[in-house]
Amino acid sequence: VVARAREVNVATTIVSPLRGLMPRGEASACEGNREASEVVAATTGLLQWAIVNPLEPETYEQAAELLQQPKCVGIKLHPEEHQYPVADHGDRLFEFAANHDAVVLVHSGDPYSWPKDFIPFADRYDNISVILAHLGNGGGAQGDPSLQVQAVQESQHGNVFTDTSSSRSILPGVLEWAVAEIGAEKILFGTDTPLYHTAMQRIRVDKADLPQPQKERILRENALELWSEELFERNASC
């Protein structure tokens, strides 16, 4: 992951362990978090999402401990891989995040995790920022690519974002349309690597039909505002 990022001048990647997500409905988030914590601590260029799975209750306590570590920068929710409807567990999950002032990254765009289903919780716990991952993902290749944008528009407090970590986001016009609808300040650069290639996602933004300041917003400035420039400088690989 770091080598691919370095090749296209991506200095820092925030990761969560695939071991904590897959195989679907069977993965141990606790084991994945432990492994990732060791790897991230020893690897320049990586920061960590702590996975919280409400069906694995010990992940709450584990995430609380991980969030005290300097390289853990938020929590990751993946209702699809862990097989729970976010509507059934959202209050406890988002209350936990709010109590720890944690940025929340959520998988979005599938039946257990439609983007709009996160909005009531983002509105209720407005001291946290929520990133709806996978711009354009709307239930598969034939789904609705506008769902993340619609959800950002529905949010009441300006604390909901999306990111570019999907194959749908590389389609012609999707990123440009999203910027026109919600502004570049609501979109972060994401890769979903190693499932996708970092260079593919980076060049899509670099070559987008957008002014350079908007590209810089997506690639860098929004992340600096959510966290801090010092955090990224301290952990950069290039």
Side-chain angles (χ1 to χ4, degrees), residues 14-50:
I14 309 175
V15 298
S16 57
L18 290 176
R19 182 178 181 182
L21 301 172
M22 301 174 180
R24 179 164 291 189
E26 301 177 13
S28 169
C30 275
E31 288 301 314
N33 283 334
R34 276 193 285 270
E35 180 182 57
S37 181
E38 294 173 2
V39 172
V40 170
T43 307
T44 301
L46 294 182
L47 296 169
Q48 181 181 2
W49 298 108

Side-chain angles (χ1 to χ4, degrees), residues 68-123:
Q68 300 305 309
Q69 299 181 10
K71 298 190 76 173
C72 184
V73 299
I75 68 171
K76 167 78 169 281
L77 308 179
H78 206 309
E80 219 62 40
E81 291 300 337
H82 291 146
Q83 293 286 281
Y84 65 88
V86 68
D88 291 352
H89 299 275
D91 260 318
R92 186 181 179 193
L93 288 165
F94 279 80
E95 181 180 28
F96 171 83
N99 288 341
H100 292 85
D101 292 317
V103 176
V104 182
L105 176 71
V106 302
H107 172 86
S108 72
D110 290 295
Y112 282 135
S113 52
W114 296 122
K116 66 178 182 179
D117 291 343
F118 294 98
I119 300 307
F121 305 110
D123 288 345

Side-chain angles (χ1 to χ4, degrees), residues 28 61 79 88 136 142 150 184-185 202 211 226 232:
S28 169
E61 182 178 353
D88 291 352
Q142 303 303 316
Q150 291 176 12
E185 66 274 11
R202 174 64 197 262
L226 279 180
F232 289 105

Side-chain angles (χ1 to χ4, degrees), residues 132-180:
L132 303 173
H134 315 314
L135 171 67
N137 180 37
Q142 303 303 316
D144 184 350
S146 70
L147 298 183
Q148 288 77 19
V149 168
Q150 291 176 12
V152 171
Q153 290 171 326
E154 291 175 11
S155 64
Q156 296 178 3
H157 303 294
N159 59 331
V160 180
F161 304 79
T162 187
D163 75 15
T164 64
S165 64
S166 76
S167 58
R168 298 293 294 282
S169 72
I170 70 171
L171 296 177
V174 171
L175 178 58
E176 291 83 355
W177 169 81
V179 170

Side-chain angles (χ1 to χ4, degrees), residues 200-227:
M200 173 190 73
Q201 301 285 21
R202 174 64 197 262
I203 200 168
R204 175 64 181 95
V205 180
D206 285 340
K207 299 300 182 181
D209 186 16
L210 296 170
Q212 186 61 27
Q214 291 185 333
K215 297 177 186 180
E216 293 174 5
R217 265 275 173 196
I218 294 168
L219 290 168
R220 173 182 170 85
E221 301 302 326
N222 292 333
L224 297 184
E225 290 183 6
L226 279 180
W227 290 283

